[in-house]
Amino acid sequence: AVLVIAGFTVGGLGRGGGGGQSVTVGRYNEFQQGIGVQHPIMPDTYPIPHVPDSQTVEYSTTPPTSGKHLNRWAECGFYTEGLPDERITHNLEHGNIVVSYNLATDEEVYQLRNAVIGIDFYDTWGLTRFYDKIPEGTVALSTWGVMDTIVGIDQDRMNRFFDAYAG
């Protein structure tokens, strides 16, 4: 219990508001005006909306920002392969930020890896995965109820998103 409370306390330290308006968007996140785009939470997500491993879910956003999901989340880290939407949506529910990318070259993937590793709290709250359902050259940051879509790699924008929503 102490570790869980400490995790929420540390995660909350990065919640810079920058004077923007806050609106609750999910269980833990508050929308920070000017950082990402707020998306409605999908219906039937409470109580805990777990689905069997064999079930696919149709999401209202691509990549997902809420919805039913698998019982087990993915470990934080950098994945060069894709992970199913149903798995990463569980991460979103727990305050993680999922960085989905569809980059054209190994050099761009290397640059993205270096960028996310340099973000505060990435090791604790971040997960990066290849995602071919977004246009090539795109990086999408998502958390429960919020998404920011970037063409290319923008370190400052990624830092702001993590500062606002990690944990």
Side-chain angles (χ1 to χ4, degrees), residues 17-123:
Q21 180 182 4
S22 295
V23 177
T24 300
V25 294
R27 293 183 183 183
Y28 309 113
N29 296 327
E30 290 182 354
F31 178 68
Q32 303 294 318
Q33 195 65 37
I35 303 175
V37 175
Q38 185 176 10
H39 295 275
I41 302 303
M42 290 183 65
D44 299 326
T45 58
Y46 302 112
I48 298 174
H50 294 155
V51 298
D53 284 352
S54 59
Q55 184 174 337
T56 58
V57 177
E58 199 169 312
Y59 292 100
S60 60
T61 62
T62 304
T65 54
S66 67
K68 295 179 179 182
H69 50 267
L70 298 178
N71 187 41
R72 178 80 176 118
W73 57 84
E75 297 297 322
C76 290
F78 196 99
Y79 296 82
T80 55
E81 301 86 30
L83 292 170
D85 287 342
E86 294 81 9
R87 180 147 332 275
I88 63 90
T89 302
H90 197 147
N91 289 74
L92 301 177
E93 179 193 28
H94 289 276
N96 287 157
I97 293 175
V98 176
V99 180
S100 300
Y101 70 90
N102 187 1
L103 299 172
T105 68
D106 290 340
E107 177 61 28
E108 290 173 311
V109 174
Y110 178 77
Q111 290 172 1
L112 177 63
R113 181 187 301 256
N114 285 338
V116 296
I117 289 171
I119 295 173
D120 288 340
F121 303 118
Y122 175 78
D123 289 342

